[in-house]
Amino acid sequence: MKKYKAKANANIALIKYWGKENEELIIPNTSSLSLSLEALYTETKVSFIDSDKDKFYLNDQEQAKDELEKISKYIDLFRDLAKNNKRVLVESYNHVPTAAGLASSASAYAALATALDALFETDLSKKDLSIMARRGSGSASRSIYGGIVEWEKGQDYESSFAKKIDNPGLDMAMIIVLVNKNKKSISSRQAMKTTMATSPLYESYINHSKEDLEAIKEAIKNKDFNKVGEITEHNAMQMHATIISSNPPIIYFEEDSIKAINKVRELRTKGIPAYFTMDAGPNVKILIQKSDADKVMEELLKDYKESDLIYSDIASEDASVEVLEC
Ligand code: ADP
Ligand code: DP6
């Protein structure tokens, strides 16, 4: 029997995806841009099983009905594509806290799509893998690639996929400040829907994020780290202002998120370029230059335990798969 094991890195968006034009097909309202992170990843093994149901283990724990149904529905996409109705055993390991705003769904579905493509012998191109990963979770479309990645919104099933952007030599890394590793109380998927339905600022976010995307691509080309950082911070705070203005309000910030943001500002007053971003959760990600990593760590360790900080280089590898003979 053959098992396939795929690995994909998580990614953190500098220009955020928030809201869908088409919920079923996961076509977003905006294009987005991210960095894939080497330190955060998912590894997923898949094999066929002789059963009338799929089986799903996450970090060695068999998953309950709702998670199994969700993943089975996703595997159906590959069963349809391959015209093969066999059931699948999925054994996945997250080297990233699950559902805490650290992009576990991105690395998860990029790894799963890559593994299922090998198992079902669908032989998808990178573009089609990105489309299939997108069907599991929008941000997963970007985790098919290492480096700097743009997910072009597109307008239909075929035209919404991610691609790698050239890095002309910008020196970048990220440090994550773990404010809270627990599962968030409201998923990105649900929060996006509420924001779109109720926030009076939503349209403004969509318009500004288009400008931010063009501006950040220009700053990347010009190797202008400070500009990249300024746009990153502003885009994330526009997204959060929009989320907070939902009705009822959705607040992902915790007291310690603000503390971490203030620490980043303090780094800047000390002459160290550092910029923050946050996703659908309280954890704060700090964009730094890799060449400043030791200095930044030294400063952060004055206020944080080593175990509260994750340093990550930008991943250089794309998602990949290997065969395990059992
Ligand atoms: P996050 O901020 O971690 O991406 P989301 O709410 O967007 O949080 O997504 C978390 C969801 O992604 C989980 O509830 C689960 O359904 C799915 N997920 C996370 N890790 C895996 C995995 N390794 N395999 C399959 N699904 C996963
Ligand atoms: C704030 O990709 O998790 O991290 O497509 O519904 O699965 P679904 O949402 P998801 O949302 C990610 C939101 C974000 C911003 C980003 O990664 O671009």
Side-chain angles (χ1 to χ4, degrees), residues 208-225:
H208 279 110
S209 87
K210 281 183 199 142
E211 290 167 22
D212 288 348
L213 182 67
E214 287 320 306
I216 207 166
K217 287 204 288 189
E218 194 55 31
I220 291 169
K221 257 193 216 148
N222 296 333
K223 291 203 273 183
D224 187 342
F225 178 81

PDB file of all heavy atoms in Angstrom, residues 208-225:
ATOM      1  N   HIS A 208      -9.362  50.376  -0.535  1.00  0.00           N
ATOM      2  CA  HIS A 208      -8.001  50.699  -0.073  1.00  0.00           C
ATOM      3  C   HIS A 208      -7.040  49.539  -0.276  1.00  0.00           C
ATOM      4  O   HIS A 208      -5.867  49.743  -0.541  1.00  0.00           O
ATOM      5  CB  HIS A 208      -8.024  51.106   1.399  1.00  0.00           C
ATOM      6  CG  HIS A 208      -8.432  52.520   1.571  1.00  0.00           C
ATOM      7  ND1 HIS A 208      -9.641  52.880   2.115  1.00  0.00           N
ATOM      8  CD2 HIS A 208      -7.816  53.662   1.229  1.00  0.00           C
ATOM      9  CE1 HIS A 208      -9.745  54.193   2.106  1.00  0.00           C
ATOM     10  NE2 HIS A 208      -8.653  54.694   1.569  1.00  0.00           N
ATOM     11  N   SER A 209      -7.540  48.314  -0.133  1.00  0.00           N
ATOM     12  CA  SER A 209      -6.598  47.194  -0.232  1.00  0.00           C
ATOM     13  C   SER A 209      -6.086  47.044  -1.669  1.00  0.00           C
ATOM     14  O   SER A 209      -4.966  46.589  -1.878  1.00  0.00           O
ATOM     15  CB  SER A 209      -7.192  45.906   0.325  1.00  0.00           C
ATOM     16  OG  SER A 209      -7.898  45.233  -0.644  1.00  0.00           O
ATOM     17  N   LYS A 210      -6.886  47.474  -2.645  1.00  0.00           N
ATOM     18  CA  LYS A 210      -6.387  47.459  -4.035  1.00  0.00           C
ATOM     19  C   LYS A 210      -5.200  48.408  -4.162  1.00  0.00           C
ATOM     20  O   LYS A 210      -4.178  48.082  -4.755  1.00  0.00           O
ATOM     21  CB  LYS A 210      -7.488  47.921  -4.998  1.00  0.00           C
ATOM     22  CG  LYS A 210      -8.489  46.835  -5.297  1.00  0.00           C
ATOM     23  CD  LYS A 210      -9.513  47.313  -6.317  1.00  0.00           C
ATOM     24  CE  LYS A 210     -10.730  46.423  -6.234  1.00  0.00           C
ATOM     25  NZ  LYS A 210     -12.001  47.131  -6.405  1.00  0.00           N
ATOM     26  N   GLU A 211      -5.339  49.609  -3.586  1.00  0.00           N
ATOM     27  CA  GLU A 211      -4.230  50.585  -3.626  1.00  0.00           C
ATOM     28  C   GLU A 211      -3.018  50.044  -2.860  1.00  0.00           C
ATOM     29  O   GLU A 211      -1.887  50.171  -3.313  1.00  0.00           O
ATOM     30  CB  GLU A 211      -4.657  51.902  -2.973  1.00  0.00           C
ATOM     31  CG  GLU A 211      -5.682  52.660  -3.799  1.00  0.00           C
ATOM     32  CD  GLU A 211      -6.326  53.787  -2.994  1.00  0.00           C
ATOM     33  OE1 GLU A 211      -5.736  54.259  -1.996  1.00  0.00           O
ATOM     34  OE2 GLU A 211      -7.447  54.195  -3.373  1.00  0.00           O
ATOM     35  N   ASP A 212      -3.285  49.433  -1.693  1.00  0.00           N
ATOM     36  CA  ASP A 212      -2.181  48.893  -0.878  1.00  0.00           C
ATOM     37  C   ASP A 212      -1.408  47.829  -1.649  1.00  0.00           C
ATOM     38  O   ASP A 212      -0.180  47.759  -1.571  1.00  0.00           O
ATOM     39  CB  ASP A 212      -2.719  48.270   0.422  1.00  0.00           C
ATOM     40  CG  ASP A 212      -3.196  49.321   1.407  1.00  0.00           C
ATOM     41  OD1 ASP A 212      -2.910  50.512   1.194  1.00  0.00           O
ATOM     42  OD2 ASP A 212      -3.860  48.949   2.402  1.00  0.00           O
ATOM     43  N   LEU A 213      -2.130  46.986  -2.381  1.00  0.00           N
ATOM     44  CA  LEU A 213      -1.468  45.904  -3.121  1.00  0.00           C
ATOM     45  C   LEU A 213      -0.533  46.466  -4.189  1.00  0.00           C
ATOM     46  O   LEU A 213       0.619  46.042  -4.304  1.00  0.00           O
ATOM     47  CB  LEU A 213      -2.514  44.976  -3.758  1.00  0.00           C
ATOM     48  CG  LEU A 213      -1.923  43.795  -4.515  1.00  0.00           C
ATOM     49  CD1 LEU A 213      -1.232  42.816  -3.562  1.00  0.00           C
ATOM     50  CD2 LEU A 213      -2.997  43.050  -5.302  1.00  0.00           C
ATOM     51  N   GLU A 214      -1.015  47.444  -4.932  1.00  0.00           N
ATOM     52  CA  GLU A 214      -0.163  48.043  -5.965  1.00  0.00           C
ATOM     53  C   GLU A 214       1.055  48.698  -5.324  1.00  0.00           C
ATOM     54  O   GLU A 214       2.177  48.547  -5.789  1.00  0.00           O
ATOM     55  CB  GLU A 214      -0.953  49.071  -6.793  1.00  0.00           C
ATOM     56  CG  GLU A 214      -1.964  48.443  -7.755  1.00  0.00           C
ATOM     57  CD  GLU A 214      -1.441  47.174  -8.441  1.00  0.00           C
ATOM     58  OE1 GLU A 214      -0.370  47.236  -9.049  1.00  0.00           O
ATOM     59  OE2 GLU A 214      -2.099  46.122  -8.352  1.00  0.00           O
ATOM     60  N   ALA A 215       0.811  49.422  -4.223  1.00  0.00           N
ATOM     61  CA  ALA A 215       1.906  50.144  -3.562  1.00  0.00           C
ATOM     62  C   ALA A 215       2.938  49.177  -2.974  1.00  0.00           C
ATOM     63  O   ALA A 215       4.154  49.415  -3.065  1.00  0.00           O
ATOM     64  CB  ALA A 215       1.342  51.047  -2.472  1.00  0.00           C
ATOM     65  N   ILE A 216       2.488  48.073  -2.417  1.00  0.00           N
ATOM     66  CA  ILE A 216       3.470  47.149  -1.793  1.00  0.00           C
ATOM     67  C   ILE A 216       4.283  46.436  -2.866  1.00  0.00           C
ATOM     68  O   ILE A 216       5.478  46.192  -2.695  1.00  0.00           O
ATOM     69  CB  ILE A 216       2.787  46.158  -0.810  1.00  0.00           C
ATOM     70  CG1 ILE A 216       3.793  45.736   0.265  1.00  0.00           C
ATOM     71  CG2 ILE A 216       2.250  44.908  -1.502  1.00  0.00           C
ATOM     72  CD1 ILE A 216       3.194  45.049   1.470  1.00  0.00           C
ATOM     73  N   LYS A 217       3.656  46.149  -4.002  1.00  0.00           N
ATOM     74  CA  LYS A 217       4.414  45.483  -5.077  1.00  0.00           C
ATOM     75  C   LYS A 217       5.521  46.425  -5.598  1.00  0.00           C
ATOM     76  O   LYS A 217       6.629  46.002  -5.885  1.00  0.00           O
ATOM     77  CB  LYS A 217       3.475  45.036  -6.199  1.00  0.00           C
ATOM     78  CG  LYS A 217       2.639  43.817  -5.760  1.00  0.00           C
ATOM     79  CD  LYS A 217       2.129  42.978  -6.897  1.00  0.00           C
ATOM     80  CE  LYS A 217       1.040  43.624  -7.680  1.00  0.00           C
ATOM     81  NZ  LYS A 217       0.411  42.722  -8.634  1.00  0.00           N
ATOM     82  N   GLU A 218       5.194  47.700  -5.672  1.00  0.00           N
ATOM     83  CA  GLU A 218       6.172  48.704  -6.090  1.00  0.00           C
ATOM     84  C   GLU A 218       7.308  48.783  -5.053  1.00  0.00           C
ATOM     85  O   GLU A 218       8.488  48.812  -5.416  1.00  0.00           O
ATOM     86  CB  GLU A 218       5.431  50.054  -6.217  1.00  0.00           C
ATOM     87  CG  GLU A 218       6.138  51.159  -6.942  1.00  0.00           C
ATOM     88  CD  GLU A 218       6.590  50.801  -8.357  1.00  0.00           C
ATOM     89  OE1 GLU A 218       5.915  49.975  -9.012  1.00  0.00           O
ATOM     90  OE2 GLU A 218       7.628  51.343  -8.785  1.00  0.00           O
ATOM     91  N   ALA A 219       6.937  48.790  -3.769  1.00  0.00           N
ATOM     92  CA  ALA A 219       7.942  48.882  -2.699  1.00  0.00           C
ATOM     93  C   ALA A 219       8.843  47.639  -2.693  1.00  0.00           C
ATOM     94  O   ALA A 219      10.045  47.738  -2.438  1.00  0.00           O
ATOM     95  CB  ALA A 219       7.251  49.040  -1.341  1.00  0.00           C
ATOM     96  N   ILE A 220       8.259  46.477  -2.993  1.00  0.00           N
ATOM     97  CA  ILE A 220       9.069  45.243  -3.061  1.00  0.00           C
ATOM     98  C   ILE A 220      10.084  45.383  -4.199  1.00  0.00           C
ATOM     99  O   ILE A 220      11.271  45.113  -4.027  1.00  0.00           O
ATOM    100  CB  ILE A 220       8.171  43.995  -3.247  1.00  0.00           C
ATOM    101  CG1 ILE A 220       7.358  43.729  -1.968  1.00  0.00           C
ATOM    102  CG2 ILE A 220       9.005  42.758  -3.614  1.00  0.00           C
ATOM    103  CD1 ILE A 220       6.254  42.692  -2.092  1.00  0.00           C
ATOM    104  N   LYS A 221       9.589  45.827  -5.349  1.00  0.00           N
ATOM    105  CA  LYS A 221      10.482  46.009  -6.518  1.00  0.00           C
ATOM    106  C   LYS A 221      11.638  46.934  -6.169  1.00  0.00           C
ATOM    107  O   LYS A 221      12.769  46.723  -6.574  1.00  0.00           O
ATOM    108  CB  LYS A 221       9.684  46.645  -7.665  1.00  0.00           C
ATOM    109  CG  LYS A 221       9.298  45.663  -8.727  1.00  0.00           C
ATOM    110  CD  LYS A 221       8.807  46.409  -9.965  1.00  0.00           C
ATOM    111  CE  LYS A 221       7.678  45.627 -10.587  1.00  0.00           C
ATOM    112  NZ  LYS A 221       6.680  46.440 -11.243  1.00  0.00           N
ATOM    113  N   ASN A 222      11.315  48.007  -5.415  1.00  0.00           N
ATOM    114  CA  ASN A 222      12.339  49.001  -5.060  1.00  0.00           C
ATOM    115  C   ASN A 222      13.166  48.591  -3.841  1.00  0.00           C
ATOM    116  O   ASN A 222      13.948  49.399  -3.324  1.00  0.00           O
ATOM    117  CB  ASN A 222      11.681  50.359  -4.774  1.00  0.00           C
ATOM    118  CG  ASN A 222      11.006  50.914  -6.006  1.00  0.00           C
ATOM    119  OD1 ASN A 222      11.407  50.595  -7.122  1.00  0.00           O
ATOM    120  ND2 ASN A 222       9.968  51.715  -5.816  1.00  0.00           N
ATOM    121  N   LYS A 223      12.924  47.394  -3.329  1.00  0.00           N
ATOM    122  CA  LYS A 223      13.620  46.884  -2.137  1.00  0.00           C
ATOM    123  C   LYS A 223      13.521  47.872  -0.962  1.00  0.00           C
ATOM    124  O   LYS A 223      14.491  48.098  -0.234  1.00  0.00           O
ATOM    125  CB  LYS A 223      15.093  46.600  -2.449  1.00  0.00           C
ATOM    126  CG  LYS A 223      15.268  45.417  -3.381  1.00  0.00           C
ATOM    127  CD  LYS A 223      16.633  44.808  -3.253  1.00  0.00           C
ATOM    128  CE  LYS A 223      17.649  45.467  -4.138  1.00  0.00           C
ATOM    129  NZ  LYS A 223      18.972  44.857  -4.079  1.00  0.00           N
ATOM    130  N   ASP A 224      12.344  48.492  -0.835  1.00  0.00           N
ATOM    131  CA  ASP A 224      12.145  49.512   0.201  1.00  0.00           C
ATOM    132  C   ASP A 224      11.452  48.867   1.410  1.00  0.00           C
ATOM    133  O   ASP A 224      10.229  48.837   1.521  1.00  0.00           O
ATOM    134  CB  ASP A 224      11.284  50.642  -0.406  1.00  0.00           C
ATOM    135  CG  ASP A 224      11.160  51.836   0.519  1.00  0.00           C
ATOM    136  OD1 ASP A 224      11.419  51.685   1.725  1.00  0.00           O
ATOM    137  OD2 ASP A 224      10.786  52.920   0.026  1.00  0.00           O
ATOM    138  N   PHE A 225      12.271  48.332   2.339  1.00  0.00           N
ATOM    139  CA  PHE A 225      11.725  47.584   3.473  1.00  0.00           C
ATOM    140  C   PHE A 225      10.768  48.427   4.321  1.00  0.00           C
ATOM    141  O   PHE A 225       9.697  47.955   4.722  1.00  0.00           O
ATOM    142  CB  PHE A 225      12.863  47.039   4.360  1.00  0.00           C
ATOM    143  CG  PHE A 225      12.343  46.300   5.561  1.00  0.00           C
ATOM    144  CD1 PHE A 225      11.913  44.988   5.466  1.00  0.00           C
ATOM    145  CD2 PHE A 225      12.243  46.936   6.804  1.00  0.00           C
ATOM    146  CE1 PHE A 225      11.395  44.307   6.562  1.00  0.00           C
ATOM    147  CE2 PHE A 225      11.726  46.262   7.910  1.00  0.00           C
ATOM    148  CZ  PHE A 225      11.307  44.947   7.785  1.00  0.00           C
TER     149      PHE A 225
END
